[in-house]
Amino acid sequence: MSVVAEIMCSHCGAPISFETGEIIATCKYCGYTAVIETGKAFTFEHSMLQNKYDQIKIEELTRNWMRAGFLKPTDLAKKAKIMEKNLVYLPFWVVSAEAESIYKGIFERITPPIVKEGKIKKKYDWLIIARKATEFPTREYDVPLIGKIPYDFRKIEAFAKILNSEIDKREAVESAKHQIEEHHHYLVQQDVDKIIEMKDKIEISQTVYLHAPIWFIKHQYKGEIYQLLIDGATGTIIKGDIPSTGFGIF
Ligand SMILES: [Zn+2]
């Protein structure tokens, strides 16, 4: 359920509207970012990535993607009808962490099995989407952090939609830790067949609230609707549904 409500922007006085479940909201008139519950300023780092594409260029990218790759129907670029091209600034939490896992396990791929010990140490800029119901392939999105700048509402296109955060910083950090642990668990399982013990240590160095420009493209091909997600900062295709080329279905 999404009920729109408003608080007053304590910087410019304009109404900041937000929906049920949103925790952090940004004023579209002045860029002031507030914690909804208290109305007070959001005091952590708020960054953004800049979109470099307009509707025409994004359509070009879409058609190029449709033309490339042998898995796609050959007439896709010609026949697909683009229904929607929406630029959305999606909210993310970027949790920078150094994670170390020390483990001991049994390696059963040789006879007799041996006990093996090891250590994994890695640095991450772990991405957590700050929306609960938005379907987004976070692990497939290589967020171009190099282009990160302080959030500036003047750099946001009038036609773009900005989504607010539904997850607070603490929750984002917890999710990131949990996901990193799961990831390390997965990595350890590549090395040993049975884990005897495993100890993780995760140190968070920084957590940044980030708005990233993502183009949501919807196109129609042979009566079906397909979606394409494009990174507006780099033009990279994040994910695209590919119509089946299978014969004899109809
Ligand atoms: Zn304002």
Side-chain angles (χ1 to χ4, degrees):
M1 193 176 61
S2 62
V3 177
V4 177
E6 280 176 355
I7 51 170
M8 198 184 77
C9 174
S10 54
H11 183 254
C12 76
I16 302 179
S17 55
F18 62 90
E19 293 179 3
T20 310
E22 293 182 344
I23 284 174
I24 299 160
T26 301
C27 173
K28 61 179 173 181
Y29 303 100
C30 76
Y32 177 83
T33 297
V35 177
I36 292 166
E37 203 185 14
T38 59
K40 295 211 172 88
F42 174 76
T43 50
F44 303 108
E45 185 180 334
H46 185 192
S47 296
M48 69 179 288
L49 294 169
Q50 275 181 274
N51 168 56
K52 296 197 183 81
Y53 295 85
D54 60 19
Q55 314 258 358
I56 295 164
K57 282 193 205 146
I58 216 74
E59 176 147 355
E60 260 175 47
L61 279 184
T62 302
R63 299 272 176 206
N64 288 343
W65 173 82
M66 287 172 169
R67 265 187 290 270
F70 65 97
L71 289 170
K72 300 187 192 98
T74 48
D75 61 352
L76 181 61
K78 226 170 100 184
K79 296 265 178 70
K81 193 173 158 211
I82 296 184
M83 316 292 282
E84 275 177 29
K85 288 174 277 187
N86 293 325
L87 174 60
V88 181
Y89 283 81
L90 279 185
F92 292 95
W93 290 93
V94 185
V95 181
S96 302
E98 198 172 292
E100 189 183 90
S101 299
I102 297 169
Y103 60 92
K104 194 179 187 179
I106 303 170
F107 187 71
E108 293 172 335
R109 279 162 263 180
I110 51 165
T111 321
I114 53 161
V115 172
K116 224 171 147 184
E117 286 178 27
K119 184 166 108 172
I120 296 168
K121 194 175 179 177
K122 281 175 182 284
K123 278 187 177 175
Y124 298 102
D125 286 317
W126 201 268
L127 206 60
I128 299 289
I129 185 157
R131 299 289 293 184
K132 287 182 171 156
T134 304
E135 291 259 341
F136 187 80
T138 315
R139 299 278 81 84
E140 282 155 71
Y141 173 41
D142 188 13
V143 59
L145 287 176
I146 198 120
K148 174 169 86 72
I149 57 163
Y151 187 84
D152 184 348
F153 74 100
R154 288 162 299 195
K155 296 207 160 85
I156 299 214
E157 301 76 357
F159 63 84
K161 188 174 178 188
I162 307 160
L163 292 183
N164 289 320
S165 182
E166 293 174 330
I167 287 168
D168 68 15
K169 186 181 169 179
R170 194 187 41 82
E171 200 179 340
V173 168
E174 284 312 305
S175 298
K177 278 184 173 170
H178 181 70
Q179 289 177 17
I180 291 170
E181 276 173 16
E182 277 188 341
H183 177 59
H184 276 206
H185 198 263
Y186 166 80
L187 293 177
V188 168
Q189 280 174 324
Q190 310 307 303
D191 192 43
V192 294
D193 300 298
K194 224 177 255 158
I195 300 171
I196 299 168
E197 62 179 77
M198 182 169 167
K199 226 162 85 187
D200 304 309
K201 198 174 85 188
I202 301 172
E203 267 170 31
I204 309 293
S205 55
Q206 200 190 20
T207 306
V208 173
Y209 182 44
L210 176 86
H211 273 99
I214 309 292
W215 285 87
F216 286 76
I217 314 294
K218 281 214 167 93
H219 66 88
Q220 194 182 42
Y221 175 75
K222 294 191 173 167
E224 297 282 337
I225 302 288
Y226 299 92
Q227 186 176 250
L228 193 67
L229 300 179
I230 307 177
D231 176 355
T234 62
T236 308
I237 309 293
I238 299 166
K239 196 174 184 180
D241 299 333
I242 300 173
S244 157
T245 50
F247 294 98
I249 294 170
F250 300 106

